[in-house]
Amino acid sequence: MNNIPTVMIIFGGSGDLAHRKIYPALFNLYRSGLIHDNFAVIGTARRPWSHEYLRGQVADAVHETYGEVDETDLEAFASHFYYQSHDVTNVEHYVTLKKLAQELDERYSCQGNRIFYMAMAPSFFGTIAEHIADQKLTGSGFNRLVVEKPFGTSLETAEVLNKQINGSFDEEQVFRIDHYLGKEMVQNILPLRLSNPMIKSIWNKDCIKNIQVTLAERLGVEARGGYYDASGAMRDMVQNHIFQIITLLAMPEPASLADTDIHAAKEALLDSLEIPDEAEVAAGFVRGQYGGTETTFAYTSEPNVDPESKTETFVAGRVKFDQGPLAGVPIYFRTGKEMKEKRTRIDIVLKDMAGIYGETGENSITIEVDPASEICLTINGKTIQGGGLRRERLAYKFSPEEQAQVPDGYERLIHDVFVNDSTNFTKWKELKRYWEFVDAVEDAWQKQNESGQKPLTYAPYKMGPAESKQIFANPTDHWIY
Ligand code: NAD
């Protein structure tokens, strides 16, 4: 599809996300012809920038991401950018913004099409949505809203935000971004599961013993202590990224690859998500905070973190569904800061069916998402000497050339917004279930706090608290990574 006429309004146009992700992504969409002559982008923020200054920032952002590019192309691209100084809490500013959007719509023949991108602190999302509605900023063509994470901080706050958004956007016009859904190997989960008879035929509760999802981060909270302390690993990573990955792993086969069918299959699965009670949280979840070293701060000594904080920087837990191909199969997850290395991987551990060979090494399928893109099968084979068995790895890893071709998640997802493909975005019904689960865990932890139980302290740059191995339903199971 070429040249989709649009006026795009970015709230948070001077921010980090716009600079590092949105502007470079738009440049690539421009180079590929998806947006070309008939588009204008309005960057808004409070700073008193000029159009020229924003264009310089856009050019810098493109250079920082892609290095040398065709300067004539870049200049032509940047000329479509306009800056509007705008405080999102000031109603009058929306009047000026609307006027500019209408002017640009006419100048670039954008046919009344609008994309609104909320790329700023989530506390402003509701205010912006309400003012888009009360000042009637939407155009006469298509209107789409892109919302960054986090979408709420609990089910209750997410419901309030959703209502505010629904004042001017229907559910099918809302694109809730989860950039993990733009990652190559996350997008590879369904093709891997459903296009390989060999894998498809074992993707069930009879063959799969458990699944393990790990999202490890090497960094601590850095300068984000204030934000993080009000959030924690469960809300920051599990509620969105981990649950989206788990949903792709456990959903039934959709009727087709159409976005509506994909979401219908996800919703059918999530209806059967078991919401944990207090006893399940006590048995199946472990939370921790990183401790300090001679050269690094413990979490509770980080700037802007409450020294008495009970916020978790690590969580391990388990998820189960009553329906779908993995009904009853435990899905374990863990995520944390200051872990051994930055790595996202999924391990699918198969049941032992070796028969006459007795106890053997487990077969497993590993999907490496970050930093490498790799799929690896671990199987048993005969040792050369003697009649024993040895473990073999059959791996397919992207070459550096292939890895270089993988588009950034944001580029893919912004492309999807232009072509109205909601496959890789979070729908409200999914989000609602994720929050129900997360709220149940948070409530149980709150009660634990009140009875004096605190998150465990873990040694930094390892794999989190050793107690995380206690969440396995079967005591002989273990983390395979
Ligand atoms: P940021 O703090 O760098 O930028 C915030 C922007 O909002 C700035 O342009 C600022 O000027 C503007 N702003 C603040 N108050 C304003 C007001 N009252 N009126 C108008 N503009 C105002 O934040 P960011 O890192 O760009 O993050 C933006 C959103 O993207 C957040 O929801 C964040 O969770 C999400 N996100 C960011 C990243 C990232 O890599 N930066 C990654 C994933 C998600």
Side-chain angles (χ1 to χ4, degrees), residues 182-195:
K183 288 183 184 281
E184 178 68 16
M185 282 315 208
V186 174
Q187 295 199 347
N188 210 351
I189 292 174
L190 285 188
L192 182 74
R193 273 184 54 190
L194 301 172
S195 74

Side-chain angles (χ1 to χ4, degrees), residues 2-7 26 29-41 72-73 76-82 104-111 418:
N2 276 329
N3 200 20
I4 297 179
T6 315
V7 174
L26 287 173
L29 299 181
Y30 175 80
R31 286 199 285 198
S32 67
L34 188 77
I35 45 175
H36 213 267
D37 301 322
N38 309 107
F39 85 98
V41 180
T72 317
D73 244 16
F77 168 72
S79 74
H80 290 255
F81 281 73
Y82 295 82
L104 295 176
D105 194 312
E106 275 171 36
R107 191 178 313 164
Y108 291 97
S109 307
C110 293
Q111 303 172 16
F418 274 97

Side-chain angles (χ1 to χ4, degrees), residues 20 84 120 148 152-153 161 199 239 304 335 355 358 390 408 444:
R20 285 193 312 109
Q84 177 66 51
M120 49 189 295
E148 271 298 333
T153 53
L161 174 56
I199 294 180
Q239 183 273 333
N304 302 321
T335 181
R390 66 173 179 181
D408 181 70

